[in-house]
PDB file of all heavy atoms in Angstrom:
ATOM      1  N   GLU A 130      80.725 118.058 161.973  1.00  0.00           N
ATOM      2  CA  GLU A 130      81.540 117.963 160.768  1.00  0.00           C
ATOM      3  C   GLU A 130      80.826 117.204 159.659  1.00  0.00           C
ATOM      4  O   GLU A 130      80.932 117.561 158.478  1.00  0.00           O
ATOM      5  CB  GLU A 130      82.882 117.290 161.085  1.00  0.00           C
ATOM      6  CG  GLU A 130      83.762 118.068 162.051  1.00  0.00           C
ATOM      7  CD  GLU A 130      84.063 119.470 161.552  1.00  0.00           C
ATOM      8  OE1 GLU A 130      84.162 119.673 160.327  1.00  0.00           O
ATOM      9  OE2 GLU A 130      84.176 120.379 162.391  1.00  0.00           O
ATOM     10  N   ASP A 131      80.068 116.168 160.024  1.00  0.00           N
ATOM     11  CA  ASP A 131      79.308 115.425 159.014  1.00  0.00           C
ATOM     12  C   ASP A 131      78.263 116.322 158.356  1.00  0.00           C
ATOM     13  O   ASP A 131      78.071 116.290 157.133  1.00  0.00           O
ATOM     14  CB  ASP A 131      78.621 114.212 159.647  1.00  0.00           C
ATOM     15  CG  ASP A 131      79.599 113.103 160.010  1.00  0.00           C
ATOM     16  OD1 ASP A 131      80.755 113.180 159.562  1.00  0.00           O
ATOM     17  OD2 ASP A 131      79.201 112.178 160.747  1.00  0.00           O
ATOM     18  N   SER A 132      77.577 117.128 159.185  1.00  0.00           N
ATOM     19  CA  SER A 132      76.574 118.045 158.653  1.00  0.00           C
ATOM     20  C   SER A 132      77.212 119.079 157.739  1.00  0.00           C
ATOM     21  O   SER A 132      76.685 119.401 156.666  1.00  0.00           O
ATOM     22  CB  SER A 132      75.847 118.735 159.806  1.00  0.00           C
ATOM     23  OG  SER A 132      74.944 119.698 159.325  1.00  0.00           O
ATOM     24  N   TYR A 133      78.363 119.583 158.156  1.00  0.00           N
ATOM     25  CA  TYR A 133      79.097 120.582 157.372  1.00  0.00           C
ATOM     26  C   TYR A 133      79.521 120.017 156.017  1.00  0.00           C
ATOM     27  O   TYR A 133      79.315 120.639 154.968  1.00  0.00           O
ATOM     28  CB  TYR A 133      80.304 121.043 158.176  1.00  0.00           C
ATOM     29  CG  TYR A 133      81.267 121.942 157.442  1.00  0.00           C
ATOM     30  CD1 TYR A 133      80.909 123.251 157.132  1.00  0.00           C
ATOM     31  CD2 TYR A 133      82.533 121.497 157.091  1.00  0.00           C
ATOM     32  CE1 TYR A 133      81.793 124.094 156.469  1.00  0.00           C
ATOM     33  CE2 TYR A 133      83.420 122.333 156.431  1.00  0.00           C
ATOM     34  CZ  TYR A 133      83.048 123.626 156.128  1.00  0.00           C
ATOM     35  OH  TYR A 133      83.930 124.448 155.472  1.00  0.00           O
ATOM     36  N   MET A 134      80.080 118.818 156.027  1.00  0.00           N
ATOM     37  CA  MET A 134      80.550 118.219 154.778  1.00  0.00           C
ATOM     38  C   MET A 134      79.381 117.887 153.858  1.00  0.00           C
ATOM     39  O   MET A 134      79.496 118.016 152.630  1.00  0.00           O
ATOM     40  CB  MET A 134      81.356 116.955 155.076  1.00  0.00           C
ATOM     41  CG  MET A 134      82.682 117.224 155.759  1.00  0.00           C
ATOM     42  SD  MET A 134      83.715 118.415 154.821  1.00  0.00           S
ATOM     43  CE  MET A 134      83.919 117.528 153.264  1.00  0.00           C
ATOM     44  N   ASN A 135      78.250 117.506 154.422  1.00  0.00           N
ATOM     45  CA  ASN A 135      77.076 117.212 153.602  1.00  0.00           C
ATOM     46  C   ASN A 135      76.623 118.443 152.837  1.00  0.00           C
ATOM     47  O   ASN A 135      76.297 118.370 151.643  1.00  0.00           O
ATOM     48  CB  ASN A 135      75.943 116.701 154.490  1.00  0.00           C
ATOM     49  CG  ASN A 135      74.687 116.397 153.696  1.00  0.00           C
ATOM     50  OD1 ASN A 135      74.686 115.575 152.795  1.00  0.00           O
ATOM     51  ND2 ASN A 135      73.599 117.080 154.031  1.00  0.00           N
ATOM     52  N   LYS A 136      76.646 119.591 153.506  1.00  0.00           N
ATOM     53  CA  LYS A 136      76.259 120.833 152.826  1.00  0.00           C
ATOM     54  C   LYS A 136      77.269 121.217 151.745  1.00  0.00           C
ATOM     55  O   LYS A 136      76.894 121.738 150.696  1.00  0.00           O
ATOM     56  CB  LYS A 136      76.087 121.950 153.857  1.00  0.00           C
ATOM     57  CG  LYS A 136      74.803 121.831 154.660  1.00  0.00           C
ATOM     58  CD  LYS A 136      74.552 123.046 155.541  1.00  0.00           C
ATOM     59  CE  LYS A 136      75.299 122.940 156.845  1.00  0.00           C
ATOM     60  NZ  LYS A 136      74.717 121.936 157.735  1.00  0.00           N
ATOM     61  N   ARG A 137      78.542 120.966 152.009  1.00  0.00           N
ATOM     62  CA  ARG A 137      79.552 121.250 150.983  1.00  0.00           C
ATOM     63  C   ARG A 137      79.337 120.377 149.749  1.00  0.00           C
ATOM     64  O   ARG A 137      79.513 120.838 148.614  1.00  0.00           O
ATOM     65  CB  ARG A 137      80.959 121.021 151.547  1.00  0.00           C
ATOM     66  CG  ARG A 137      81.388 122.024 152.616  1.00  0.00           C
ATOM     67  CD  ARG A 137      81.372 123.449 152.071  1.00  0.00           C
ATOM     68  NE  ARG A 137      82.260 123.631 150.940  1.00  0.00           N
ATOM     69  CZ  ARG A 137      83.505 124.104 151.017  1.00  0.00           C
ATOM     70  NH1 ARG A 137      83.991 124.451 152.200  1.00  0.00           N
ATOM     71  NH2 ARG A 137      84.252 124.245 149.955  1.00  0.00           N
ATOM     72  N   HIS A 138      78.955 119.131 149.950  1.00  0.00           N
ATOM     73  CA  HIS A 138      78.678 118.234 148.817  1.00  0.00           C
ATOM     74  C   HIS A 138      77.481 118.732 148.007  1.00  0.00           C
ATOM     75  O   HIS A 138      77.474 118.640 146.771  1.00  0.00           O
ATOM     76  CB  HIS A 138      78.413 116.811 149.320  1.00  0.00           C
ATOM     77  CG  HIS A 138      79.627 116.117 149.864  1.00  0.00           C
ATOM     78  ND1 HIS A 138      80.877 116.256 149.319  1.00  0.00           N
ATOM     79  CD2 HIS A 138      79.778 115.269 150.931  1.00  0.00           C
ATOM     80  CE1 HIS A 138      81.758 115.536 149.996  1.00  0.00           C
ATOM     81  NE2 HIS A 138      81.122 114.937 150.989  1.00  0.00           N
ATOM     82  N   ILE A 139      76.474 119.263 148.718  1.00  0.00           N
ATOM     83  CA  ILE A 139      75.302 119.807 148.023  1.00  0.00           C
ATOM     84  C   ILE A 139      75.715 120.981 147.145  1.00  0.00           C
ATOM     85  O   ILE A 139      75.298 121.089 145.987  1.00  0.00           O
ATOM     86  CB  ILE A 139      74.224 120.237 149.036  1.00  0.00           C
ATOM     87  CG1 ILE A 139      73.632 119.016 149.742  1.00  0.00           C
ATOM     88  CG2 ILE A 139      73.114 121.030 148.337  1.00  0.00           C
ATOM     89  CD1 ILE A 139      72.654 119.358 150.843  1.00  0.00           C
ATOM     90  N   VAL A 140      76.565 121.866 147.687  1.00  0.00           N
ATOM     91  CA  VAL A 140      77.047 123.008 146.906  1.00  0.00           C
ATOM     92  C   VAL A 140      77.809 122.523 145.679  1.00  0.00           C
ATOM     93  O   VAL A 140      77.623 123.032 144.567  1.00  0.00           O
ATOM     94  CB  VAL A 140      77.945 123.921 147.773  1.00  0.00           C
ATOM     95  CG1 VAL A 140      78.606 124.996 146.918  1.00  0.00           C
ATOM     96  CG2 VAL A 140      77.123 124.566 148.873  1.00  0.00           C
ATOM     97  N   ASP A 141      78.659 121.527 145.865  1.00  0.00           N
ATOM     98  CA  ASP A 141      79.436 120.995 144.738  1.00  0.00           C
ATOM     99  C   ASP A 141      78.526 120.432 143.649  1.00  0.00           C
ATOM    100  O   ASP A 141      78.822 120.556 142.453  1.00  0.00           O
ATOM    101  CB  ASP A 141      80.385 119.905 145.235  1.00  0.00           C
ATOM    102  CG  ASP A 141      81.515 120.456 146.102  1.00  0.00           C
ATOM    103  OD1 ASP A 141      81.769 121.682 146.034  1.00  0.00           O
ATOM    104  OD2 ASP A 141      82.127 119.667 146.853  1.00  0.00           O
ATOM    105  N   SER A 142      77.408 119.846 144.057  1.00  0.00           N
ATOM    106  CA  SER A 142      76.496 119.246 143.085  1.00  0.00           C
ATOM    107  C   SER A 142      75.789 120.300 142.240  1.00  0.00           C
ATOM    108  O   SER A 142      75.238 119.989 141.187  1.00  0.00           O
ATOM    109  CB  SER A 142      75.463 118.365 143.795  1.00  0.00           C
ATOM    110  OG  SER A 142      74.538 119.160 144.534  1.00  0.00           O
ATOM    111  N   TYR A 143      75.802 121.558 142.709  1.00  0.00           N
ATOM    112  CA  TYR A 143      75.162 122.657 141.981  1.00  0.00           C
ATOM    113  C   TYR A 143      76.167 123.485 141.176  1.00  0.00           C
ATOM    114  O   TYR A 143      75.804 124.519 140.615  1.00  0.00           O
ATOM    115  CB  TYR A 143      74.423 123.580 142.948  1.00  0.00           C
ATOM    116  CG  TYR A 143      73.020 123.138 143.281  1.00  0.00           C
ATOM    117  CD1 TYR A 143      72.799 122.186 144.266  1.00  0.00           C
ATOM    118  CD2 TYR A 143      71.921 123.669 142.616  1.00  0.00           C
ATOM    119  CE1 TYR A 143      71.515 121.783 144.588  1.00  0.00           C
ATOM    120  CE2 TYR A 143      70.636 123.263 142.932  1.00  0.00           C
ATOM    121  CZ  TYR A 143      70.446 122.317 143.922  1.00  0.00           C
ATOM    122  OH  TYR A 143      69.166 121.917 144.239  1.00  0.00           O
ATOM    123  N   THR A 144      77.408 123.028 141.092  1.00  0.00           N
ATOM    124  CA  THR A 144      78.473 123.828 140.474  1.00  0.00           C
ATOM    125  C   THR A 144      78.112 124.302 139.074  1.00  0.00           C
ATOM    126  O   THR A 144      78.363 125.455 138.701  1.00  0.00           O
ATOM    127  CB  THR A 144      79.789 123.024 140.431  1.00  0.00           C
ATOM    128  OG1 THR A 144      80.180 122.703 141.773  1.00  0.00           O
ATOM    129  CG2 THR A 144      80.882 123.828 139.752  1.00  0.00           C
ATOM    130  N   ASN A 145      77.509 123.457 138.289  1.00  0.00           N
ATOM    131  CA  ASN A 145      77.189 123.805 136.903  1.00  0.00           C
ATOM    132  C   ASN A 145      75.736 124.246 136.717  1.00  0.00           C
ATOM    133  O   ASN A 145      75.271 124.399 135.586  1.00  0.00           O
ATOM    134  CB  ASN A 145      77.481 122.609 135.985  1.00  0.00           C
ATOM    135  CG  ASN A 145      78.945 122.217 136.011  1.00  0.00           C
ATOM    136  OD1 ASN A 145      79.825 123.081 136.032  1.00  0.00           O
ATOM    137  ND2 ASN A 145      79.202 120.913 136.029  1.00  0.00           N
ATOM    138  N   LYS A 146      75.033 124.456 137.850  1.00  0.00           N
ATOM    139  CA  LYS A 146      73.612 124.786 137.761  1.00  0.00           C
ATOM    140  C   LYS A 146      73.306 126.229 138.149  1.00  0.00           C
ATOM    141  O   LYS A 146      72.294 126.784 137.717  1.00  0.00           O
ATOM    142  CB  LYS A 146      72.795 123.835 138.646  1.00  0.00           C
ATOM    143  CG  LYS A 146      72.931 122.374 138.266  1.00  0.00           C
ATOM    144  CD  LYS A 146      72.138 121.490 139.221  1.00  0.00           C
ATOM    145  CE  LYS A 146      72.298 120.018 138.892  1.00  0.00           C
ATOM    146  NZ  LYS A 146      71.555 119.146 139.827  1.00  0.00           N
ATOM    147  N   VAL A 147      74.148 126.830 138.988  1.00  0.00           N
ATOM    148  CA  VAL A 147      73.911 128.207 139.421  1.00  0.00           C
ATOM    149  C   VAL A 147      75.179 129.022 139.185  1.00  0.00           C
ATOM    150  O   VAL A 147      76.277 128.480 139.008  1.00  0.00           O
ATOM    151  CB  VAL A 147      73.521 128.276 140.924  1.00  0.00           C
ATOM    152  CG1 VAL A 147      72.197 127.585 141.168  1.00  0.00           C
ATOM    153  CG2 VAL A 147      74.596 127.662 141.804  1.00  0.00           C
ATOM    154  N   GLU A 148      75.020 130.334 139.210  1.00  0.00           N
ATOM    155  CA  GLU A 148      76.143 131.213 138.921  1.00  0.00           C
ATOM    156  C   GLU A 148      77.206 131.144 140.014  1.00  0.00           C
ATOM    157  O   GLU A 148      76.938 130.784 141.170  1.00  0.00           O
ATOM    158  CB  GLU A 148      75.653 132.651 138.756  1.00  0.00           C
ATOM    159  CG  GLU A 148      74.959 133.194 139.990  1.00  0.00           C
ATOM    160  CD  GLU A 148      74.367 134.569 139.767  1.00  0.00           C
ATOM    161  OE1 GLU A 148      74.247 134.972 138.597  1.00  0.00           O
ATOM    162  OE2 GLU A 148      74.042 135.223 140.768  1.00  0.00           O
ATOM    163  N   LYS A 149      78.423 131.515 139.649  1.00  0.00           N
ATOM    164  CA  LYS A 149      79.569 131.406 140.558  1.00  0.00           C
ATOM    165  C   LYS A 149      79.371 132.234 141.817  1.00  0.00           C
ATOM    166  O   LYS A 149      79.709 131.805 142.922  1.00  0.00           O
ATOM    167  CB  LYS A 149      80.837 131.848 139.826  1.00  0.00           C
ATOM    168  CG  LYS A 149      82.106 131.675 140.640  1.00  0.00           C
ATOM    169  CD  LYS A 149      83.333 132.065 139.827  1.00  0.00           C
ATOM    170  CE  LYS A 149      84.605 131.893 140.654  1.00  0.00           C
ATOM    171  NZ  LYS A 149      85.804 132.272 139.855  1.00  0.00           N
ATOM    172  N   GLY A 150      78.807 133.442 141.667  1.00  0.00           N
ATOM    173  CA  GLY A 150      78.599 134.311 142.827  1.00  0.00           C
ATOM    174  C   GLY A 150      77.685 133.676 143.864  1.00  0.00           C
ATOM    175  O   GLY A 150      77.902 133.802 145.070  1.00  0.00           O
ATOM    176  N   THR A 151      76.648 132.966 143.385  1.00  0.00           N
ATOM    177  CA  THR A 151      75.732 132.288 144.287  1.00  0.00           C
ATOM    178  C   THR A 151      76.441 131.191 145.068  1.00  0.00           C
ATOM    179  O   THR A 151      76.247 131.026 146.270  1.00  0.00           O
ATOM    180  CB  THR A 151      74.559 131.681 143.506  1.00  0.00           C
ATOM    181  OG1 THR A 151      73.840 132.725 142.855  1.00  0.00           O
ATOM    182  CG2 THR A 151      73.616 130.915 144.412  1.00  0.00           C
ATOM    183  N   LEU A 152      77.295 130.443 144.377  1.00  0.00           N
ATOM    184  CA  LEU A 152      78.045 129.372 145.040  1.00  0.00           C
ATOM    185  C   LEU A 152      78.984 129.929 146.106  1.00  0.00           C
ATOM    186  O   LEU A 152      79.094 129.370 147.209  1.00  0.00           O
ATOM    187  CB  LEU A 152      78.850 128.584 144.004  1.00  0.00           C
ATOM    188  CG  LEU A 152      78.038 127.764 142.997  1.00  0.00           C
ATOM    189  CD1 LEU A 152      78.948 127.187 141.925  1.00  0.00           C
ATOM    190  CD2 LEU A 152      77.289 126.644 143.710  1.00  0.00           C
ATOM    191  N   LEU A 153      79.653 131.035 145.809  1.00  0.00           N
ATOM    192  CA  LEU A 153      80.590 131.624 146.763  1.00  0.00           C
ATOM    193  C   LEU A 153      79.856 132.109 148.010  1.00  0.00           C
ATOM    194  O   LEU A 153      80.327 131.917 149.138  1.00  0.00           O
ATOM    195  CB  LEU A 153      81.348 132.778 146.107  1.00  0.00           C
ATOM    196  CG  LEU A 153      82.351 132.394 145.012  1.00  0.00           C
ATOM    197  CD1 LEU A 153      82.938 133.636 144.359  1.00  0.00           C
ATOM    198  CD2 LEU A 153      83.464 131.525 145.596  1.00  0.00           C
ATOM    199  N   GLN A 154      78.690 132.742 147.825  1.00  0.00           N
ATOM    200  CA  GLN A 154      77.926 133.217 148.972  1.00  0.00           C
ATOM    201  C   GLN A 154      77.368 132.051 149.785  1.00  0.00           C
ATOM    202  O   GLN A 154      77.311 132.109 151.020  1.00  0.00           O
ATOM    203  CB  GLN A 154      76.798 134.139 148.504  1.00  0.00           C
ATOM    204  CG  GLN A 154      77.324 135.456 147.942  1.00  0.00           C
ATOM    205  CD  GLN A 154      76.209 136.427 147.631  1.00  0.00           C
ATOM    206  OE1 GLN A 154      75.370 136.698 148.483  1.00  0.00           O
ATOM    207  NE2 GLN A 154      76.193 136.943 146.422  1.00  0.00           N
ATOM    208  N   ALA A 155      76.985 130.983 149.100  1.00  0.00           N
ATOM    209  CA  ALA A 155      76.491 129.800 149.801  1.00  0.00           C
ATOM    210  C   ALA A 155      77.589 129.200 150.676  1.00  0.00           C
ATOM    211  O   ALA A 155      77.332 128.775 151.816  1.00  0.00           O
ATOM    212  CB  ALA A 155      75.991 128.766 148.807  1.00  0.00           C
ATOM    213  N   LYS A 156      78.802 129.177 150.179  1.00  0.00           N
ATOM    214  CA  LYS A 156      79.917 128.639 150.961  1.00  0.00           C
ATOM    215  C   LYS A 156      80.169 129.494 152.199  1.00  0.00           C
ATOM    216  O   LYS A 156      80.513 128.976 153.268  1.00  0.00           O
ATOM    217  CB  LYS A 156      81.173 128.569 150.094  1.00  0.00           C
ATOM    218  CG  LYS A 156      81.111 127.490 149.015  1.00  0.00           C
ATOM    219  CD  LYS A 156      82.341 127.492 148.122  1.00  0.00           C
ATOM    220  CE  LYS A 156      82.233 126.413 147.057  1.00  0.00           C
ATOM    221  NZ  LYS A 156      83.410 126.423 146.140  1.00  0.00           N
ATOM    222  N   ARG A 157      80.000 130.823 152.077  1.00  0.00           N
ATOM    223  CA  ARG A 157      80.173 131.690 153.241  1.00  0.00           C
ATOM    224  C   ARG A 157      79.100 131.391 154.290  1.00  0.00           C
ATOM    225  O   ARG A 157      79.375 131.335 155.487  1.00  0.00           O
ATOM    226  CB  ARG A 157      80.087 133.158 152.825  1.00  0.00           C
ATOM    227  CG  ARG A 157      81.231 133.632 151.954  1.00  0.00           C
ATOM    228  CD  ARG A 157      81.113 135.110 151.683  1.00  0.00           C
ATOM    229  NE  ARG A 157      81.378 135.871 152.893  1.00  0.00           N
ATOM    230  CZ  ARG A 157      81.007 137.141 153.053  1.00  0.00           C
ATOM    231  NH1 ARG A 157      80.345 137.763 152.099  1.00  0.00           N
ATOM    232  NH2 ARG A 157      81.289 137.781 154.159  1.00  0.00           N
ATOM    233  N   LEU A 158      77.865 131.197 153.825  1.00  0.00           N
ATOM    234  CA  LEU A 158      76.784 130.850 154.744  1.00  0.00           C
ATOM    235  C   LEU A 158      77.090 129.554 155.480  1.00  0.00           C
ATOM    236  O   LEU A 158      76.894 129.442 156.699  1.00  0.00           O
ATOM    237  CB  LEU A 158      75.476 130.690 153.967  1.00  0.00           C
ATOM    238  CG  LEU A 158      74.693 131.958 153.641  1.00  0.00           C
ATOM    239  CD1 LEU A 158      73.617 131.643 152.618  1.00  0.00           C
ATOM    240  CD2 LEU A 158      74.074 132.546 154.874  1.00  0.00           C
ATOM    241  N   ILE A 159      77.571 128.566 154.752  1.00  0.00           N
ATOM    242  CA  ILE A 159      77.892 127.279 155.350  1.00  0.00           C
ATOM    243  C   ILE A 159      79.007 127.430 156.382  1.00  0.00           C
ATOM    244  O   ILE A 159      78.961 126.835 157.465  1.00  0.00           O
ATOM    245  CB  ILE A 159      78.304 126.275 154.252  1.00  0.00           C
ATOM    246  CG1 ILE A 159      77.097 125.925 153.382  1.00  0.00           C
ATOM    247  CG2 ILE A 159      78.893 125.006 154.869  1.00  0.00           C
ATOM    248  CD1 ILE A 159      77.449 125.132 152.141  1.00  0.00           C
ATOM    249  N   ASN A 160      79.997 128.244 156.064  1.00  0.00           N
ATOM    250  CA  ASN A 160      81.105 128.453 157.001  1.00  0.00           C
ATOM    251  C   ASN A 160      80.642 129.129 158.285  1.00  0.00           C
ATOM    252  O   ASN A 160      81.083 128.779 159.383  1.00  0.00           O
ATOM    253  CB  ASN A 160      82.212 129.268 156.334  1.00  0.00           C
ATOM    254  CG  ASN A 160      82.971 128.478 155.288  1.00  0.00           C
ATOM    255  OD1 ASN A 160      82.992 127.247 155.327  1.00  0.00           O
ATOM    256  ND2 ASN A 160      83.582 129.159 154.332  1.00  0.00           N
ATOM    257  N   PHE A 161      79.746 130.111 158.171  1.00  0.00           N
ATOM    258  CA  PHE A 161      79.214 130.778 159.364  1.00  0.00           C
ATOM    259  C   PHE A 161      78.387 129.799 160.194  1.00  0.00           C
ATOM    260  O   PHE A 161      78.469 129.783 161.429  1.00  0.00           O
ATOM    261  CB  PHE A 161      78.360 131.989 158.977  1.00  0.00           C
ATOM    262  CG  PHE A 161      79.133 133.142 158.415  1.00  0.00           C
ATOM    263  CD1 PHE A 161      78.619 133.917 157.392  1.00  0.00           C
ATOM    264  CD2 PHE A 161      80.384 133.471 158.914  1.00  0.00           C
ATOM    265  CE1 PHE A 161      79.329 134.997 156.874  1.00  0.00           C
ATOM    266  CE2 PHE A 161      81.107 134.540 158.403  1.00  0.00           C
ATOM    267  CZ  PHE A 161      80.573 135.306 157.381  1.00  0.00           C
TER     268      PHE A 161
END
């Protein structure tokens, strides 16, 4: 769970840096 949450924080830090579609696909990868 710590590893999972760390990756979610990384995605959040990129919210304004990459396109929305990229963020959504990254979240799917993290969930898998």
Side-chain angles (χ1 to χ4, degrees):
E130 296 303 328
D131 288 348
S132 176
Y133 173 71
M134 291 305 299
N135 179 60
K136 285 188 276 288
R137 292 301 300 264
H138 290 323
I139 292 175
V140 172
D141 291 342
S142 70
Y143 275 83
T144 299
N145 299 320
K146 300 178 182 179
V147 295
E148 60 185 15
K149 184 177 180 180
T151 298
L152 293 173
L153 291 175
Q154 291 187 52
K156 289 177 180 178
R157 293 184 70 199
L158 277 167
I159 291 170
N160 288 337
F161 290 143

